[in-house]
Amino acid sequence: MNLARPPLAAVSQAFRFWLALRRLVPRRKCRAFGVHGAEKGPGVEKIYVINLDREPGRWFKMEQELRHILDSSGSGLLSLTERHVAVDANAFSQEPPKDADIDPYYTLGDQLLVEPQPLVLPTQLELNAPIRMSRAEIAVARSHINVWREVASSDHAYALILEDDVWFHSGFTRYFDQAWDEVVTGCDRDGRFDVLYVSYLEVKHGAPKTFLSNNVFRPVRGLWHLSGYVLSREGAQKLLRLLPCRGPIDLWINHQFKVLDIRVTKRPIISQRRDAKSTNSYSILSTLTTIGAITSEGASLFNIRPTEHPVFAFGPEGSGHSSLAMALSMLGYRCCSDLQALPAPELERLLEGRGDRVFDAYVNIGSLDGNVRELRSRYPKAKFILTSAKGIIADDTFLSVENDLNGADIAVLHSEEPNRWQVVCEHLRCAPPACSFPTLKDLGKRPILDVAIEADQGAKCKTPRRDRSPWVIKPRKWWQGIRSVPTEDGQTGTGTFVRINDCLECLDTRRWVLRNDTFTDNLALFRPSNVEFSSGIGAALSVRREPLGVRDYTAASLCSRDQYLFGKFEAIIKAPNAPGVVTGFFLHRNSPRQEIDIEIAGNRPDRLLVNVFYNPGGEGAHFDYGYRGAPSYIELGFDASKASHRFAIEWNPCEIRWLVDDHLVHRRAIWDPTPIPHLPMALHVNIWPSRSTQLAGRINNRRLPATTIVGSIALEANSVISSPGLMISAGQVRLGSLN
């Protein structure tokens, strides 16, 4: 599990320059490779390189590496090498199920056995809670297992297995020959070994080990990466008998060390390249974050931009427009969809062929139906997609559009097509994301109000820095979002409509969960003991100075058991006047991450921070890009630490409104500057000390304990998910990271 690969361009460039210089050094012979015969002892007779079909550049670099080292006969190692086609996670049309090779679920306990966290005290529930492998992790595991089968059935006693993003250290030949001689000598006494690691990363506090010789040790556990290792034929057969693999392959194999004969070179002599980004997706990260094992991480920003644009999609109503629009968003397009007309400024710029448009993809826009010929003329490289569905008859308008598109660059997408990603991505020349093609109910062509949005009522608004992503629009004087009229599409009726008004005199466990985890930017661990309920007062949530190993503070958080889709959410809150401390009232979900926030920073209790995080996809899509969101500061005109005030979020499919004491202070329409979150979210209220001094100032320990009083929580919303045994997953709640 490689979590620290240098991302800097300067490091990558320097690394590539060093590799180029290294190739000027004469090639060296490695005696351990090649067919030796009985008189010379065993050798490594075969090399397998696991390489994706869509990564030919990596294979080219591996060819260069393998040519630079000679085997015992003087031929380049490339002559012993076979390229093994890797399993591609992008080819999975849905989450892969459990089978004889892979059980996609593992636990935090499995992770901590390999790499203990001495300062972390997870609960038994956390230790045993299932974690699902990412699609990338499953693909990596299947690739290795497929190679094991080849080794197990081959005539080769030993094979070197490499992933396609590695390089050989300059002293590889000398160190490998020394280690090989010692391993072979040891085998005379102990029998044939199973696995010899030559590329690995020891866990943070070191792997428990026993040295067998000067250059070889046997580990008990604690080795990450499975990117370079020698596997014996008998070892491959053992590994296949030990299947299914539970969890990431490098994690699972650590659990087999007790029944395998594992040898490891004293130092890694093959490493992962520093000029290549990992394509893996680590499922353990959010869980490690919740228990405080991860205290910082870089911005997760979507850095893939489509090259084929603009894109226009047409089709009869009900033929999958909304699903296609979401799919284009997941590919990095800024997609406008399902409207009777474009806002006038955008339509004008589009028809004039101007480059300062907001969007680069348009799906099911009624005002474009009669402009197809003009669009083809303005955009000769445009991509067109026609949607269709079984049983839906095209009307005259669509037949006219279809006729105007004769000879254009068109793909036809049938809603019944089993691999819709393939159709779309081959047409747009891009790789599909590692999640299912979205399936949404069609919104239809929604009418819009092409009028200016009213200014916020009496509230001064300031815009700090926002995320740079396809789903956050940069401020433009002429753009005020899209005011759409809600349609009767069933969205707002999803789930069970509920009304709740809880004065928080005691903990109603049917509704609320007291969290006991944390998140990256939180300097504290949430603890249930930091919440006190009182009749006539409500809930008191406190931040305290209280060292707990991974954190030096404790904090408090109350979270709904149910998730809600659209509605009004309000709380009566008195925030503390304590620098470094944040009071939050917000809706949040993961996979994909979406969020609607109200926050009050302890160093500025006269100001409100409102924010929206939007990521595309359907339920379970692993999109979590951005760490700033789209924040705005609202001047309250009073000090929220002096008295209690009523704060509210009104959320519907077309607009989000923020209210204070029943007065509207801020509102956002569709694409102002983000789409409106469209998936169910849990409701949270919390207090926590922030790692970001820009957000809340530097924490002042003399002001602690600091307490937020929540007098009541009321909501009128659609309850979508009721989970009596819910375990809150907050690994990617990164509120307020505005650095």
Side-chain angles (χ1 to χ4, degrees), residues 479-502:
W479 181 256
Q480 293 182 301
I482 300 171
R483 295 195 69 190
S484 171
V485 179
T487 58
E488 296 296 329
D489 60 358
Q491 268 193 309
T492 55
T494 302
T496 303
F497 185 77
V498 297
R499 288 185 176 90
I500 295 173
N501 192 345
D502 194 334

Side-chain angles (χ1 to χ4, degrees), residues 72-85:
S72 58
S73 68
S75 300
L77 292 189
L78 187 60
S79 64
L80 303 177
T81 301
E82 177 179 326
R83 176 181 172 270
H84 181 87
V85 178

Side-chain angles (χ1 to χ4, degrees), residues 69 93 142 169 277 307 392 395 428 445 502 561 703:
I69 299 172
S93 59
R142 289 203 185 282
H169 289 203
K277 292 183 178 180
T307 57
I392 295 181
D395 56 18
L428 301 178
K445 290 187 174 75
D502 194 334
R561 286 192 178 274
R703 296 279 189 95

Side-chain angles (χ1 to χ4, degrees), residues 462-482:
K462 179 183 177 182
T463 303
R465 293 177 64 185
R466 293 173 168 175
D467 280 333
R468 295 179 58 192
S469 88
W471 316 298
V472 179
I473 293 176
K474 294 179 181 179
R476 292 170 167 85
K477 291 182 179 180
W478 55 271
W479 181 256
Q480 293 182 301
I482 300 171

